Amino acid sequence: MTDQPIRRALLSVSDKTGLVDLGRFLAGHGVEILSTGGSAKLLAEQGVPVREVADYTGFPEMMDGRVKTLHPKVHGGLLGLRDKHADAMKQHDIGAIDLLVVNLYPFEETVAKGAGFDECIENIDIGGPAMIRSAAKNHKYVTVVVDAGDYKAVIDDMTAHGGATSEATRRRLAAKAYARTASYDSAISGWFAGQLGDTFPERLTIAGTLQQTLRYGENPHQQAAFYVTGDTRPGVASARQLQGKELSYNNLNDTDAAFEAVAEFDPAESPAVVIVKHANPCGVAIAGSMAEAYRRALACDPVSAFGGIIALNNTLDGETAAEIAKIFTEVIIAPDATDQAREIIAGKKNLRLLLTGGLPDPAAPGMTVKSVAGGYLLQNRDNGRVFRDGLKVVTKRAPTEQELTDLLFAFRVCKHVKSNTIVYAKDGATVGVGAGQMSRVDSARIAARKAQDVAEAEGLAEPRTRGSVVASDAFFPFADGLLAAAEAGATAVIQPGGSMRDQEVIDAADAAGLAMVLTGMRHFRH
């Protein structure tokens, strides 16, 4: 392939950003400009010579604009091979269209603003994708542009090549064009499936827009990138980064885990802080102030918190910022931050501060996707929550009011810790977290051991697990895990139940004087 001169262009855009400047450049290079509707009107008003597509095709725009570019003179001009189809093009008076500039009806934006069914349907573009696909297929001769951000690249390319575009530019833009139509169709099919209540459609389409090419993936030898879907859920994808170096793959993953966990705690009820390390909470607390919540979360496992991610459920204030600044932290994510807090954090130039403007709703529906060899696993987001009226007391002793409050807190934390999970909590703070072990008894012992280490380091008379409650993300298959928790000093237990040996576990709890409640809901997290 060689450079291809641009002699005729068709410009038909919904987003008219940069259109006039592009039109003026093309006209200045002797390019005949075809256009439609509002695009043609704007160009004409700005003194850019333009010809209406309806005039060019001899067929009027009709059906409220639904039919305007679906015509052989348009698609023939885009699809015709300049050598092989020259006779047919001449016979039917089809002129070559060398440049197509189209961006699509704002379907995604229409859905995002909560428009009704009929309005969403009317914002499904038909002619635009058809032209884009025609032009992209024939990129040997045709340059196709679907993003106003590429106008400058086309202008520069034409300037460098005497009014023509290069093969490299046309191929790159064709690939981008097909990606755009694919993502557009994906958005439509996903919306339609939602309208029909079809949770798992026969064909799954996943689309995203590149937000950032990352330095590397989980490890330096892995390449990685961050794509966003346009979902309005507050979090790492929508957050504004105020300072700090570029986020890494692991930073993004851990920050998402931290923010989703802290959202479990309503800021109207109490400030909450979650500290995450390697996707697992290593400290969670609620308190009367954000600074106190941070101090109590840090106390759970200050060793693991070093280099961690900190999530807050409300505004980062100066006192809390000063406390956080005392140790090395990778990322802070919060709905907002005071001027004083921003000034303090600014003194830590590598510390990333992300502000989201709000919290995600932990009860909202959604989907999670995981890749496996040859496919994807798709499931509903774990938006299950347990409340007091859903608990079943199964031991002779019922939990006290304080135990009950801490049990619910601990079980809410459990939901965000990798399985097998054991969480000890006391007075609204985690005091031991055991994550990701192959056996539940190991998780119970590791969490207790960590609490013992903290006690020894701080010179405490006993570990904070003494007098705590314990939560398990799934049932105890044997009594050994529960007994390990009792040895650590737990006085009450919350777990889903459902084991063949539930009675054996209940009997062990009674023998140890523990109170135990069942939730009927588990929170595996792999």
Side-chain angles (χ1 to χ4, degrees), residues 3-16:
D3 294 347
Q4 291 296 320
I6 305 296
R7 299 187 179 95
R8 180 179 290 116
L10 196 165
L11 281 53
S12 180
V13 295
S14 175
D15 178 2
K16 296 173 178 56

PDB file of all heavy atoms in Angstrom, residues 3-16:
ATOM      1  N   ASP A   3       0.770   5.901   0.063  1.00  0.00           N
ATOM      2  CA  ASP A   3       0.027   7.056   0.565  1.00  0.00           C
ATOM      3  C   ASP A   3      -1.210   7.268  -0.303  1.00  0.00           C
ATOM      4  O   ASP A   3      -1.168   7.073  -1.526  1.00  0.00           O
ATOM      5  CB  ASP A   3       0.892   8.311   0.514  1.00  0.00           C
ATOM      6  CG  ASP A   3       2.074   8.240   1.465  1.00  0.00           C
ATOM      7  OD1 ASP A   3       2.084   7.343   2.325  1.00  0.00           O
ATOM      8  OD2 ASP A   3       2.989   9.080   1.334  1.00  0.00           O
ATOM      9  N   GLN A   4      -2.323   7.646   0.334  1.00  0.00           N
ATOM     10  CA  GLN A   4      -3.577   7.855  -0.386  1.00  0.00           C
ATOM     11  C   GLN A   4      -4.045   9.302  -0.238  1.00  0.00           C
ATOM     12  O   GLN A   4      -4.308   9.770   0.869  1.00  0.00           O
ATOM     13  CB  GLN A   4      -4.659   6.908   0.144  1.00  0.00           C
ATOM     14  CG  GLN A   4      -4.424   5.446  -0.180  1.00  0.00           C
ATOM     15  CD  GLN A   4      -4.464   5.192  -1.680  1.00  0.00           C
ATOM     16  OE1 GLN A   4      -5.296   5.749  -2.397  1.00  0.00           O
ATOM     17  NE2 GLN A   4      -3.558   4.345  -2.157  1.00  0.00           N
ATOM     18  N   PRO A   5      -4.149  10.020  -1.369  1.00  0.00           N
ATOM     19  CA  PRO A   5      -4.596  11.415  -1.301  1.00  0.00           C
ATOM     20  C   PRO A   5      -6.031  11.525  -0.799  1.00  0.00           C
ATOM     21  O   PRO A   5      -6.869  10.660  -1.072  1.00  0.00           O
ATOM     22  CB  PRO A   5      -4.498  11.882  -2.760  1.00  0.00           C
ATOM     23  CG  PRO A   5      -3.611  10.888  -3.434  1.00  0.00           C
ATOM     24  CD  PRO A   5      -3.826   9.587  -2.721  1.00  0.00           C
ATOM     25  N   ILE A   6      -6.308  12.588  -0.090  1.00  0.00           N
ATOM     26  CA  ILE A   6      -7.658  12.873   0.384  1.00  0.00           C
ATOM     27  C   ILE A   6      -8.255  13.943  -0.532  1.00  0.00           C
ATOM     28  O   ILE A   6      -7.822  15.100  -0.527  1.00  0.00           O
ATOM     29  CB  ILE A   6      -7.656  13.376   1.847  1.00  0.00           C
ATOM     30  CG1 ILE A   6      -6.942  12.385   2.760  1.00  0.00           C
ATOM     31  CG2 ILE A   6      -9.086  13.636   2.321  1.00  0.00           C
ATOM     32  CD1 ILE A   6      -7.593  11.035   2.869  1.00  0.00           C
ATOM     33  N   ARG A   7      -9.243  13.526  -1.354  1.00  0.00           N
ATOM     34  CA  ARG A   7      -9.890  14.471  -2.272  1.00  0.00           C
ATOM     35  C   ARG A   7     -11.351  14.723  -1.896  1.00  0.00           C
ATOM     36  O   ARG A   7     -11.898  15.772  -2.216  1.00  0.00           O
ATOM     37  CB  ARG A   7      -9.812  13.938  -3.705  1.00  0.00           C
ATOM     38  CG  ARG A   7      -8.385  13.750  -4.219  1.00  0.00           C
ATOM     39  CD  ARG A   7      -8.359  13.380  -5.696  1.00  0.00           C
ATOM     40  NE  ARG A   7      -6.988  13.231  -6.169  1.00  0.00           N
ATOM     41  CZ  ARG A   7      -6.333  12.070  -6.231  1.00  0.00           C
ATOM     42  NH1 ARG A   7      -6.937  10.958  -5.818  1.00  0.00           N
ATOM     43  NH2 ARG A   7      -5.096  12.012  -6.686  1.00  0.00           N
ATOM     44  N   ARG A   8     -11.980  13.723  -1.279  1.00  0.00           N
ATOM     45  CA  ARG A   8     -13.378  13.885  -0.856  1.00  0.00           C
ATOM     46  C   ARG A   8     -13.508  13.300   0.556  1.00  0.00           C
ATOM     47  O   ARG A   8     -13.004  12.214   0.842  1.00  0.00           O
ATOM     48  CB  ARG A   8     -14.332  13.173  -1.811  1.00  0.00           C
ATOM     49  CG  ARG A   8     -15.817  13.316  -1.398  1.00  0.00           C
ATOM     50  CD  ARG A   8     -16.753  12.627  -2.386  1.00  0.00           C
ATOM     51  NE  ARG A   8     -16.795  13.343  -3.664  1.00  0.00           N
ATOM     52  CZ  ARG A   8     -16.365  12.824  -4.814  1.00  0.00           C
ATOM     53  NH1 ARG A   8     -15.846  11.603  -4.848  1.00  0.00           N
ATOM     54  NH2 ARG A   8     -16.441  13.525  -5.931  1.00  0.00           N
ATOM     55  N   ALA A   9     -14.195  14.019   1.422  1.00  0.00           N
ATOM     56  CA  ALA A   9     -14.390  13.581   2.806  1.00  0.00           C
ATOM     57  C   ALA A   9     -15.859  13.662   3.172  1.00  0.00           C
ATOM     58  O   ALA A   9     -16.584  14.554   2.698  1.00  0.00           O
ATOM     59  CB  ALA A   9     -13.571  14.450   3.760  1.00  0.00           C
ATOM     60  N   LEU A  10     -16.281  12.732   3.997  1.00  0.00           N
ATOM     61  CA  LEU A  10     -17.646  12.758   4.542  1.00  0.00           C
ATOM     62  C   LEU A  10     -17.521  12.954   6.043  1.00  0.00           C
ATOM     63  O   LEU A  10     -16.938  12.118   6.742  1.00  0.00           O
ATOM     64  CB  LEU A  10     -18.383  11.465   4.217  1.00  0.00           C
ATOM     65  CG  LEU A  10     -19.909  11.486   4.381  1.00  0.00           C
ATOM     66  CD1 LEU A  10     -20.541  10.284   3.680  1.00  0.00           C
ATOM     67  CD2 LEU A  10     -20.363  11.519   5.824  1.00  0.00           C
ATOM     68  N   LEU A  11     -18.071  14.053   6.533  1.00  0.00           N
ATOM     69  CA  LEU A  11     -18.019  14.396   7.950  1.00  0.00           C
ATOM     70  C   LEU A  11     -19.436  14.367   8.520  1.00  0.00           C
ATOM     71  O   LEU A  11     -20.296  15.143   8.094  1.00  0.00           O
ATOM     72  CB  LEU A  11     -17.419  15.797   8.152  1.00  0.00           C
ATOM     73  CG  LEU A  11     -15.894  15.960   8.077  1.00  0.00           C
ATOM     74  CD1 LEU A  11     -15.310  15.395   6.800  1.00  0.00           C
ATOM     75  CD2 LEU A  11     -15.516  17.434   8.242  1.00  0.00           C
ATOM     76  N   SER A  12     -19.689  13.474   9.477  1.00  0.00           N
ATOM     77  CA  SER A  12     -21.018  13.370  10.081  1.00  0.00           C
ATOM     78  C   SER A  12     -20.838  12.951  11.535  1.00  0.00           C
ATOM     79  O   SER A  12     -20.646  11.772  11.836  1.00  0.00           O
ATOM     80  CB  SER A  12     -21.869  12.341   9.332  1.00  0.00           C
ATOM     81  OG  SER A  12     -23.150  12.231   9.914  1.00  0.00           O
ATOM     82  N   VAL A  13     -20.891  13.932  12.419  1.00  0.00           N
ATOM     83  CA  VAL A  13     -20.548  13.650  13.810  1.00  0.00           C
ATOM     84  C   VAL A  13     -21.640  14.095  14.772  1.00  0.00           C
ATOM     85  O   VAL A  13     -22.339  15.080  14.531  1.00  0.00           O
ATOM     86  CB  VAL A  13     -19.218  14.331  14.199  1.00  0.00           C
ATOM     87  CG1 VAL A  13     -18.059  13.738  13.410  1.00  0.00           C
ATOM     88  CG2 VAL A  13     -19.282  15.835  13.999  1.00  0.00           C
ATOM     89  N   SER A  14     -21.753  13.364  15.863  1.00  0.00           N
ATOM     90  CA  SER A  14     -22.642  13.748  16.953  1.00  0.00           C
ATOM     91  C   SER A  14     -21.929  14.749  17.865  1.00  0.00           C
ATOM     92  O   SER A  14     -22.463  15.789  18.207  1.00  0.00           O
ATOM     93  CB  SER A  14     -23.060  12.510  17.744  1.00  0.00           C
ATOM     94  OG  SER A  14     -23.818  12.863  18.870  1.00  0.00           O
ATOM     95  N   ASP A  15     -20.699  14.422  18.250  1.00  0.00           N
ATOM     96  CA  ASP A  15     -19.859  15.332  19.035  1.00  0.00           C
ATOM     97  C   ASP A  15     -19.072  16.209  18.062  1.00  0.00           C
ATOM     98  O   ASP A  15     -18.216  15.727  17.319  1.00  0.00           O
ATOM     99  CB  ASP A  15     -18.908  14.517  19.908  1.00  0.00           C
ATOM    100  CG  ASP A  15     -17.960  15.385  20.717  1.00  0.00           C
ATOM    101  OD1 ASP A  15     -18.055  16.629  20.634  1.00  0.00           O
ATOM    102  OD2 ASP A  15     -17.106  14.819  21.428  1.00  0.00           O
ATOM    103  N   LYS A  16     -19.358  17.489  18.060  1.00  0.00           N
ATOM    104  CA  LYS A  16     -18.787  18.380  17.053  1.00  0.00           C
ATOM    105  C   LYS A  16     -17.511  19.089  17.519  1.00  0.00           C
ATOM    106  O   LYS A  16     -17.070  20.053  16.894  1.00  0.00           O
ATOM    107  CB  LYS A  16     -19.847  19.388  16.612  1.00  0.00           C
ATOM    108  CG  LYS A  16     -21.014  18.677  15.922  1.00  0.00           C
ATOM    109  CD  LYS A  16     -22.161  19.588  15.603  1.00  0.00           C
ATOM    110  CE  LYS A  16     -23.259  18.803  14.882  1.00  0.00           C
ATOM    111  NZ  LYS A  16     -23.738  17.613  15.619  1.00  0.00           N
TER     112      LYS A  16
END
